Amino acid sequence: MLTEEQVAFYHANGYVTTGEPLLSAAEVQALRDALDQVIAGTSPDRPHLLRNMAGGGLDSDKVVVQIVNIWQAHPAYREHIARPDIVAMALQLAPTDTLRVWHDQIQYKPPNVGTSTHWHQDFPAWPVLTPADLVTAWVALDDATMVNGCLRFVPGSHRWSDKHVGLGTNDDFSPQYDPAQLPPQANVEVMPAEVPTGGVSFHHGATWHASAPNPSPIPRRAIAVHYMPAHTRYVAAGSHVMDTRITVSDGEVLAGEYFPVVHPR
Ligand SMILES: O=C(O)CCC(=O)C(=O)O
């Protein structure tokens, strides 16, 4: 469980890392092996999406392997998204009577060619749901450091606005933003979130975050699970890669077979 200080840190800053690894070495290895199978196309089933997020093929010279809903492809990830320890922590950060998975997401930055994930907030990338109260549990499958492209956060940014229009990335990898959209007390400061193999960091749906390229010989594999509290509702006007899995009507709670309930079980 998270300490009271960690929960308070999350509410103040929009993210928190737990420090010590949560997953054992064997658990991490099982997820790495399953990831290899999914990428090779030899897993029991297929994920919802598998692509190079940077464009082009997986053999390109700039790669972020993005996989959405790897839980659909391999039982190791089906088990991972419902891990009682991570779910219990997510519930401390987003208290609710029913916690569902919106979707999961691998972002794998391969050695040498792994490229950047630009500064963004998750909520504007999810225009099919509201409100922004989702919490993401991001588990490192390799030591994630400043060398191989760990996450970076802007503390407190989840309190400024759910949708900062024009949030982008400068040449020096600092966030590009519009000061006119910030409250007077806002201080745009970037904090790296290094996470050891098997460790977890959590972030809020409106927190500014990014990860830099991976020019190192060390892979940077990670699995993010985006958890939604019970009051998350469908917004039919938006569009998203998960659209084809949504069966509820506009304004209804976003629920269904493809949005597994992980609490209560
Ligand atoms: O894994 C990364 O580098 C980015 C992940 C991310 O943007 C997210 O989990 O919301």
Side-chain angles (χ1 to χ4, degrees), residues 53 64 105-109 117-118 120 122 126 136-138 149-151 203 209-212 220 222-226:
M53 215 170 82
V64 177
Q105 181 173 190
I106 293 277
Q107 284 197 22
Y108 163 33
K109 295 175 194 278
T117 303
H118 290 290
H120 67 285
D122 292 332
W126 299 331
T136 293
W138 187 98
C150 67
L151 282 177
H203 62 267
H209 60 291
S211 55
R220 204 238 58 183
I223 170 74
V225 184
H226 308 300

Side-chain angles (χ1 to χ4, degrees), residues 9-201:
F9 185 94
Y10 175 85
H11 289 305
N13 295 286
Y15 74 98
V16 67
T17 57
T18 59
E20 290 304 302
L22 218 65
L23 277 63
S24 68
E27 287 170 333
V28 168
Q29 195 53 49
L31 293 176
R32 289 174 176 170
D33 293 346
L35 174 59
D36 288 346
Q37 285 178 32
V38 173
I39 292 174
T42 58
S43 52
D45 282 298
R46 303 283 86 83
H48 187 70
L49 174 79
L50 194 168
R51 64 168 185 163
N52 178 2
M53 215 170 82
L58 298 188
D59 56 355
S60 146
D61 60 355
K62 282 191 178 153
V63 181
V64 177
V65 182
Q66 184 193 34
I67 303 175
V68 171
N69 273 9
I70 195 170
W71 71 260
Q72 292 176 215
H74 201 289
Y77 284 95
R78 181 67 188 85
E79 218 172 288
H80 175 79
I81 63 169
R83 277 184 74 101
D85 49 1
I86 294 180
V87 167
M89 292 180 190
L91 285 166
Q92 287 179 279
L93 303 176
T96 180
D97 56 10
T98 309
L99 193 71
R100 292 185 178 83
V101 173
W102 161 222
H103 64 79
D104 69 30
Q105 181 173 190
I106 293 277
Q107 284 197 22
Y108 163 33
K109 295 175 194 278
N112 309 310
V113 295
T115 193
S116 44
T117 303
H118 290 290
W119 282 99
H120 67 285
Q121 295 171 292
D122 292 332
F123 183 58
W126 299 331
V128 291
L129 56 76
T130 198
D133 303 340
L134 285 79
V135 59
T136 293
W138 187 98
V139 169
L141 299 178
D142 299 289
D143 288 345
T145 66
M146 284 296 274
V147 170
N148 67 350
C150 67
L151 282 177
R152 302 170 190 214
F153 295 104
V154 172
S157 51
H158 65 308
R159 292 167 174 263
W160 300 339
S161 99
D162 288 348
K163 291 186 188 181
H164 187 100
V165 179
L167 183 61
T169 306
N170 291 315
D171 289 345
D172 65 356
F173 210 72
S174 61
Q176 189 176 78
Y177 58 92
D178 169 17
Q181 291 177 51
L182 299 184
Q185 78 283 8
N187 175 27
V188 179
E189 182 195 10
V190 173
M191 293 300 292
E194 296 196 324
V195 176
T197 304
V200 58
S201 80

Side-chain angles (χ1 to χ4, degrees), residues 239-257:
S239 85
H240 187 268
V241 69
M242 287 299 293
D243 277 353
T244 52
R245 300 301 195 192
I246 298 174
T247 52
V248 298
S249 301
D250 189 38
E252 287 184 343
V253 167
L254 188 39
E257 183 188 351

